Amino acid sequence: MPLPVFPADTDAWPLRRVTRARDADEQADNLSQWNQRYDQLSPGSFEGSVTELWLPKSQVFMETANRALRQTCAAWPRSVWFGIPAARDGMMSLGGKPLSSRAVCIRDGGAEFDLLTAPDFNLFGVVVDRLAFADYLDRAARQDLDRLLLQGDVRNLAPGRKESLCATLARVLADAHHPDFPDAEALQERIFSALADALLSHDTEPVPTRRTRLIHQATVDRVRQYVLDNPEHPPTIPELCAHLHLSRRALQNCFEDVTGMPPVAYMRSLRLNAVRRELRHGSGLRPISSIAYDWGFTHMSQFARDYRRLFGELPSESLRHA
């Protein structure tokens, strides 16, 4: 993964841009310096946007999308990511942990994580240079960043505190776009200060890990990997149960708990996303039927119906758009 590219001329700060996407993977590519892949899970035409701001020691963005996504993500190395989703309780999860409406997510950069989003969501994200933020915490509050991060990767903020944090980030994004914006160092200071307040607040609560949910998440992850490793042979439910040593009911419970979908529908979505990815990013020389067959779709009429139901367009339209 490439390191973030900062301009040599500091007068160029802040750097702000807005991108819009009609495809989940296109949305993933629009976030600079991240290594990620998105799978669309809920049906319908996709629309999303990313408003992104780069400052000397941080990246701030607001991401919106109108469909549920499975995001496999990793922020740039030697950083810390803070994710602040706006969603109702339980509509999103990080690594199998349900996110409440007061949740803030925290992960080290360079390490992959999974985020399951709500069908219609917006999320503020902040990625900070690890050393710079650690130095700020030491100078401003005599606190050690490593020790603070040991408290867990999901925190619940007190009522009103999360709204205040989101309002601060929204103002930073807006001020950076204003002709008379404050200088980049002032914007940077506001971001570090807001994150420090959230981390150091006495009413911030680490979210306990529910062992059953983590086991369910691990099962879903194993099924996903199995599907990706065996694209030409989609496993049946009896095959999965035998492979995982689970009953049909136990397998169903894992998927309902983690994804809100039956296992067959989830696996089909993964395979359809894989076909769409190849249609949009491949050479365009292979027939659609060959690509579909590679991912276990042997009945072309059913494949086309399933594809259109999930993405709101036929495979041939995706190929033309590419």
Side-chain angles (χ1 to χ4, degrees):
M1 185 194 310
L3 293 175
V5 179
F6 300 123
D9 181 5
T10 55
D11 291 338
W13 303 111
L15 303 177
R16 184 184 186 274
R17 69 170 186 162
V18 179
T19 54
R20 304 189 185 280
R22 302 294 299 274
D23 173 78
D25 257 354
E26 180 186 355
Q27 173 101 338
D29 291 340
N30 282 340
L31 191 56
S32 304
Q33 302 302 325
W34 280 65
N35 183 8
Q36 52 188 9
R37 186 172 77 176
Y38 291 180
D39 289 314
Q40 180 177 329
L41 299 180
S42 63
S45 300
F46 179 89
E47 292 184 6
S49 67
V50 174
T51 302
E52 180 183 30
L53 172 68
W54 279 95
L55 293 167
K57 297 296 181 181
S58 63
Q59 175 191 30
V60 185
F61 61 89
M62 183 178 69
E63 179 181 8
T64 69
N66 66 342
R67 299 291 174 240
L69 303 173
R70 181 191 185 278
Q71 301 185 357
T72 304
C73 316
W76 34 279
R78 296 190 289 279
S79 69
V80 180
W81 167 74
F82 295 81
I84 307 102
R88 298 187 301 277
D89 285 359
M91 292 295 289
M92 299 178 66
S93 64
L94 174 73
K97 297 179 181 178
L99 303 180
S100 77
S101 60
R102 299 190 288 120
V104 170
C105 310
I106 308 170
R107 279 295 181 100
D108 269 319
E112 187 176 278
F113 62 88
D114 286 345
L115 184 67
L116 190 67
T117 73
D120 192 9
F121 77 94
N122 61 69
L123 176 145
F124 281 102
V126 185
V127 190
V128 295
D129 179 89
R130 208 179 201 286
L131 289 178
F133 188 52
D135 181 65
Y136 175 87
L137 287 173
D138 183 54
R139 288 186 290 105
R142 293 291 184 265
Q143 292 288 336
D144 179 69
L145 176 60
D146 290 334
R147 185 182 63 81
L148 292 172
L149 295 182
L150 290 176
Q151 296 176 15
D153 58 0
V154 179
R155 320 281 177 89
N156 281 337
L157 302 186
R161 189 174 290 278
K162 180 173 176 178
E163 291 78 2
S164 176
L165 176 58
C166 289
T168 297
L169 297 176
R171 285 194 298 269
V172 166
L173 287 173
D175 288 348
H177 188 54
H178 197 276
D180 300 321
F181 61 79
D183 64 74
E185 293 297 336
L187 293 175
Q188 183 72 77
E189 183 79 10
R190 285 161 59 183
I191 291 169
F192 278 7
S193 175
L195 295 178
D197 285 346
L199 272 179
L200 300 175
S201 172
H202 295 299
D203 48 22
T204 298
E205 304 170 352
V207 175
T209 300
R210 185 162 64 91
R211 185 172 179 271
T212 301
R213 181 63 180 261
L214 294 182
I215 292 173
H216 289 177
Q217 178 68 49
T219 299
V220 172
D221 290 343
R222 288 181 66 188
V223 171
R224 175 179 178 270
Q225 196 59 51
Y226 190 86
V227 170
L228 297 180
D229 289 344
N230 302 276
E232 73 291 343
H233 178 65
T236 65
I237 295 301
E239 286 173 342
L240 279 180
C241 290
H243 178 69
L244 299 170
H245 306 291
L246 291 174
S247 69
R248 183 184 291 264
R249 185 60 190 165
L251 182 67
Q252 181 82 13
N253 288 341
C254 289
F255 276 83
E256 292 289 350
D257 186 29
V258 173
T259 71
M261 303 170 65
V264 170
Y266 181 80
M267 291 188 293
R268 182 171 57 245
S269 295
L270 291 180
R271 292 158 53 225
L272 288 169
N273 274 276
V275 173
R276 181 177 177 83
R277 199 168 285 121
E278 188 161 346
L279 289 176
R280 291 182 58 88
H281 302 294
S283 64
L285 300 178
R286 297 186 65 209
I288 293 173
S289 58
S290 295
I291 298 172
Y293 189 80
D294 286 347
W295 283 95
F297 296 103
T298 56
H299 302 286
M300 288 303 101
S301 58
Q302 184 63 52
F303 159 71
R305 286 194 294 271
D306 290 342
Y307 189 99
R308 186 172 190 174
R309 187 180 300 116
L310 182 58
F311 301 117
E313 64 182 21
L314 290 169
S316 56
E317 295 175 289
S318 298
L319 190 59
R320 285 200 301 271
H321 294 160

